[in-house]
Amino acid sequence: MTVEPQRTKTGFQAIRHDTIAWKLYLAYDIFMMLIIVINLICISSNAFLMSHIGAWVFEQLHLSHILQLYKTELNPWVIKTENWFIVFLIIELFIRWLIAIVQKHHQRWFFFPFIHWYEILAIHPYLRFLRLIRAGIIAFRLHELGYHVVPSAMLKQLKFYYHVLMEELSDRVVISVIDGVKMELDTSSTHKRIIHDLVDHHREMFATTLAQVLQESLATELKAQQNLIAENVGHVVVKAIEDTPELTQLLRLIPIVGGRIEQQIHSIGQRLGENITHGLVQPLVTGSSTTPNAQYQRIAEKLSQINIENRSLEQLVESVVYESLESLRKQVAVKQWQLKLEKNDQLKE
């Protein structure tokens, strides 16, 4: 009779741990855990003693008469006790189901057997090992409440093996899926269509990401180098003026003020080049990573709409897809539990 929170119209009520009812539930959980463990120990011991291996062991120890006494006197009682225990589990299950219906532990009255499926299956003699699940759940709940019925070292080992099992199962599933995808791409005649659909599905995301990258990288660098670029462009304009001999010859024909005018033209050319550069660069440095400027958005949109009906581009996309799948497969194949074991061994050393 596990402690289950009662459901109300507003949700689940918190269970008070200072009530007599809760203490009774707790005592009953402990009682059930103990008798389940004792029952399984008795059944396991009986199976061993009644087997050929047990007979051989006792024969080697010259204790065959004790084994014979057990078979004739105690074994029938073990069988009767198991039958009584099965009857007790059936009655106890129906009582808890009735309590769950009355106290509305679940949204529907028939949810109880589905939630406690392992208890129903554990009633069958051939599935009695499932009773360990209930004992384990009770022990875990008691551990969460602060009652360390399971030693910490054992609990740590159980968690480790549980994670090992889950990792191995999940890794097998993921690797099988990846291999299936690769096989489908290799053998299917429609794999190009799949890749095209994949690209088409991510065009908008690609455009948004590219605009943000341009804003964060190109705009930042242009803003940092804006003055230097403007100064260099100014020098280029001045150099262009100096490399125009017709203008130089014309200015030298003007007496007295020709040299002065030439200097002014150089200065004007320098400032003109700088101002033009600032005017061209300024629109490219505005905006932010969250709201890129219009120029970068247009560039990103044009690039995202590129036609991938091109053999070289198709090979590039295929290579990216295959290498991504292979990288994912290698990462999944890494045994994290082995790395953890090696780390623990190194710490012990």
Side-chain angles (χ1 to χ4, degrees), residues 5 39 55 133 173 194 218 262 300 320:
N39 170 257
I133 297 179
V173 172
I194 296 174
L218 183 58
E262 185 178 0
V320 171

mmCIF file of all heavy atoms in Angstrom, residues 5 39 55 133 173 194 218 262 300 320:
data_model
loop_
_atom_site.group_PDB
_atom_site.id
_atom_site.type_symbol
_atom_site.label_atom_id
_atom_site.label_comp_id
_atom_site.label_asym_id
_atom_site.label_seq_id
_atom_site.Cartn_x
_atom_site.Cartn_y
_atom_site.Cartn_z
ATOM 1 N N PRO A 5 0.088 10.486 -3.666
ATOM 2 C CA PRO A 5 -0.554 11.778 -3.452
ATOM 3 C C PRO A 5 -1.970 11.775 -4.000
ATOM 4 O O PRO A 5 -2.245 11.195 -5.046
ATOM 5 C CB PRO A 5 0.339 12.748 -4.243
ATOM 6 C CG PRO A 5 1.003 11.894 -5.261
ATOM 7 C CD PRO A 5 1.166 10.549 -4.646
ATOM 8 N N ASN A 39 10.542 -13.713 0.776
ATOM 9 C CA ASN A 39 9.877 -14.677 -0.103
ATOM 10 C C ASN A 39 10.782 -15.075 -1.263
ATOM 11 O O ASN A 39 10.904 -16.267 -1.589
ATOM 12 C CB ASN A 39 8.575 -14.075 -0.619
ATOM 13 C CG ASN A 39 7.938 -14.901 -1.722
ATOM 14 O OD1 ASN A 39 8.029 -14.554 -2.897
ATOM 15 N ND2 ASN A 39 7.303 -16.009 -1.354
ATOM 16 N N ALA A 55 21.627 -31.111 -5.221
ATOM 17 C CA ALA A 55 21.834 -32.505 -4.783
ATOM 18 C C ALA A 55 23.314 -32.874 -4.880
ATOM 19 O O ALA A 55 23.867 -33.539 -3.988
ATOM 20 C CB ALA A 55 20.989 -33.434 -5.638
ATOM 21 N N ILE A 133 10.982 -5.451 -8.493
ATOM 22 C CA ILE A 133 10.737 -4.072 -8.929
ATOM 23 C C ILE A 133 9.996 -3.312 -7.843
ATOM 24 O O ILE A 133 10.346 -2.175 -7.505
ATOM 25 C CB ILE A 133 9.939 -4.050 -10.245
ATOM 26 C CG1 ILE A 133 10.744 -4.713 -11.360
ATOM 27 C CG2 ILE A 133 9.562 -2.619 -10.625
ATOM 28 C CD1 ILE A 133 10.020 -4.763 -12.687
ATOM 29 N N VAL A 173 20.268 1.536 -30.269
ATOM 30 C CA VAL A 173 19.142 2.088 -31.032
ATOM 31 C C VAL A 173 19.609 3.213 -31.937
ATOM 32 O O VAL A 173 19.287 3.248 -33.136
ATOM 33 C CB VAL A 173 18.036 2.586 -30.072
ATOM 34 C CG1 VAL A 173 16.950 3.331 -30.843
ATOM 35 C CG2 VAL A 173 17.427 1.420 -29.308
ATOM 36 N N ILE A 194 15.813 13.835 -50.873
ATOM 37 C CA ILE A 194 15.830 13.973 -49.417
ATOM 38 C C ILE A 194 16.776 15.093 -48.998
ATOM 39 O O ILE A 194 16.453 15.925 -48.150
ATOM 40 C CB ILE A 194 16.243 12.638 -48.752
ATOM 41 C CG1 ILE A 194 15.197 11.555 -49.042
ATOM 42 C CG2 ILE A 194 16.420 12.812 -47.255
ATOM 43 C CD1 ILE A 194 15.603 10.179 -48.553
ATOM 44 N N LEU A 218 31.817 40.612 -39.935
ATOM 45 C CA LEU A 218 32.192 41.605 -40.943
ATOM 46 C C LEU A 218 31.929 43.029 -40.463
ATOM 47 O O LEU A 218 32.791 43.908 -40.597
ATOM 48 C CB LEU A 218 31.431 41.326 -42.242
ATOM 49 C CG LEU A 218 31.758 42.248 -43.425
ATOM 50 C CD1 LEU A 218 33.239 42.192 -43.748
ATOM 51 C CD2 LEU A 218 30.922 41.865 -44.644
ATOM 52 N N GLU A 262 47.830 73.179 -56.057
ATOM 53 C CA GLU A 262 48.126 71.744 -56.110
ATOM 54 C C GLU A 262 48.037 71.103 -54.729
ATOM 55 O O GLU A 262 47.495 70.001 -54.563
ATOM 56 C CB GLU A 262 49.510 71.538 -56.714
ATOM 57 C CG GLU A 262 49.864 70.073 -56.919
ATOM 58 C CD GLU A 262 51.226 69.894 -57.566
ATOM 59 O OE1 GLU A 262 51.894 70.901 -57.844
ATOM 60 O OE2 GLU A 262 51.618 68.724 -57.784
ATOM 61 N N ALA A 300 22.210 37.594 -47.218
ATOM 62 C CA ALA A 300 21.920 36.270 -46.660
ATOM 63 C C ALA A 300 20.731 35.624 -47.362
ATOM 64 O O ALA A 300 20.730 34.422 -47.639
ATOM 65 C CB ALA A 300 21.649 36.389 -45.161
ATOM 66 N N VAL A 320 28.767 16.766 -46.335
ATOM 67 C CA VAL A 320 28.435 17.313 -45.016
ATOM 68 C C VAL A 320 27.478 16.378 -44.277
ATOM 69 O O VAL A 320 27.655 16.086 -43.083
ATOM 70 C CB VAL A 320 27.824 18.717 -45.146
ATOM 71 C CG1 VAL A 320 27.273 19.182 -43.804
ATOM 72 C CG2 VAL A 320 28.861 19.705 -45.660
#
